[in-house]
Amino acid sequence: DGTPATYMRVVPEAPTAGQPQGGLATLAAMVTKGDQVWFFKLKGERAIAVAQEEAFKNFLESVHFGADAGSK
C-alpha cells in the first residue's frame, strides 16, 4: 500500500569453517504502521534465499494494511 519499509539483506559470500550457519541467508523487512511494527523474514540456505529474493520482494509489495492496522 506504499507504506515505507526498511529492507535488510544478509547474504554471506560463502560458508566458513566452524560457522555452521555460514551457509544461511536472511532477507527481512520492517514496516511501522501506527503504533505497531510488522516484521517479515525469509531465512534459509544461501542459494535458495537468493533465488527467492525477487519472489520475497513481490510478496512484500503485495502486503496491504487495512484502515485499522497499527491501532490497538
Side-chain angles (χ1 to χ4, degrees):
D1 68 358
T3 302
T6 300
Y7 186 77
M8 191 169 98
R9 182 180 194 270
V10 180
V11 179
E13 288 299 318
T16 57
Q19 293 183 338
Q21 297 211 0
L24 295 179
T26 302
L27 308 174
M30 181 177 72
V31 179
T32 301
K33 194 72 172 174
D35 60 355
Q36 295 181 346
V37 180
W38 293 73
F39 293 92
F40 302 90
K41 179 171 79 169
L42 181 152
K43 182 175 182 177
E45 292 182 27
R46 181 187 185 282
I48 295 170
V50 169
Q52 292 300 315
E53 186 168 12
E54 191 64 32
F56 182 65
K57 287 180 177 180
N58 289 337
F59 163 73
L60 293 173
E61 289 177 6
S62 77
V63 174
H64 295 277
F65 296 93
D68 62 345
S71 62
K72 291 185 179 180

